[in-house]
Amino acid sequence: MNRMVRKNISNHFSSPKIITVAIFVVLFSLHDQLSFSEARLQFGFYSKTCPPAELIVRNVVQHAMTRDPGNAAVLLRLHFHDCFVEGCDGSILIKHVGNDDERFAVGNAGVGGFDVIDEAKSQLERLCPGVVSCADIVALAARDAVAEAKGPFYEVPTGRRDGQRAEKSNAANLPDVEDSLSILKSKFREKGLSDQDLVLLSAGAHTIGTTACFFVIPRLDAQDHTIDKEFFKVLRSKCPKGGDVNVRIPLDWGSQFVFDDQIFRNIKNGKGVILSDSVLYQDNNMKNIIDSYVASNRSSKTNFAADFGKAMVKMGAIGVKIGTEGEIRRICNATN
């Protein structure tokens, strides 16, 4: 385990054993919500069949982030978008002739990181052919990307198998930046995710990464009252009327490459960049959740890093395939 990962663990968790036990407790408590197959993901699934699997993925992610720190947010988003359609089965990676696959759905516009997953898969196939699934690589890469961005290092249960379907139409109901709060809640609950998970996996995940002016301009044109007046001027200067809608700006203003709780402070202070983040603070329950992550009183402050890790493990169990379900793809962008 490299020095950066050790540092992240010590910063956010008192003991690797404690976080492992904690995640087992989380998975056990979800037993009623998750199917039998989902509950059977295992920590260290490849410990005998391909012992260096997780280290290989981690090294590939580290190299990708050395090239471009923005890859942290890209890989995190890739995992989210994979899990929210067919479940966490790598279906978003499939690319047939034409543009009818899941990855080409409107809601997946701008999703990337495919090259990083392909590189990890290529290395794994040379060492352990036909063993490690693309779905697990996506989940592990998201975890390692978060850790490299100074976020929590959480244990990822593995054993997912790869899906064989990737229809564009199945990605029609992805969470959208302009969704109302009630719609966002509904979409998360359909996946067995709570209001807290919505705060963590939507707004919380936006502690790293950027968005295009295309998603911000409608708020500005509508004079959205939830935006702080001075911050409104800043956003308008970056995304002027008639300007280039492809210009990218940070989602977490002032802290776009570091995984921290600044995103919640920004949302609380009217400096949320996109509507789906800002709207969360208009709900009393979610307002309390957000406030708990930025509380000045240490005794009442909630551990964002630990909660985020638990939410990622929970999301990573959505609709997984194990045993004889699905397949282990030889390459990630095509079924066998």
Side-chain angles (χ1 to χ4, degrees), residues 47-59:
S47 59
K48 293 183 179 179
T49 55
C50 190
E54 294 198 22
L55 180 60
I56 288 172
V57 175
R58 191 171 309 152
N59 287 338

Side-chain angles (χ1 to χ4, degrees), residues 41-115:
L41 292 176
Q42 301 172 31
F43 296 107
F45 181 82
Y46 300 108
S47 59
K48 293 183 179 179
T49 55
C50 190
E54 294 198 22
L55 180 60
I56 288 172
V57 175
R58 191 171 309 152
N59 287 338
V60 170
V61 170
Q62 288 172 343
H63 290 151
M65 288 187 60
T66 298
R67 295 194 304 270
D68 180 3
N71 277 321
V74 169
L75 291 169
L76 180 55
R77 186 174 184 230
L78 179 64
H79 185 34
F80 179 94
H81 281 247
D82 182 35
C83 291
F84 258 75
V85 181
E86 291 286 346
C88 309
D89 67 349
S91 56
I92 195 172
L93 307 174
I94 296 173
K95 183 181 180 182
H96 292 115
V97 176
N99 295 326
D100 294 327
D101 294 313
E102 178 183 324
R103 69 155 76 183
F104 297 109
V106 173
N108 285 329
V111 172
F114 303 107
D115 58 329

Side-chain angles (χ1 to χ4, degrees), residues 2 39 54 245:
N2 64 39
E54 294 198 22
V245 298

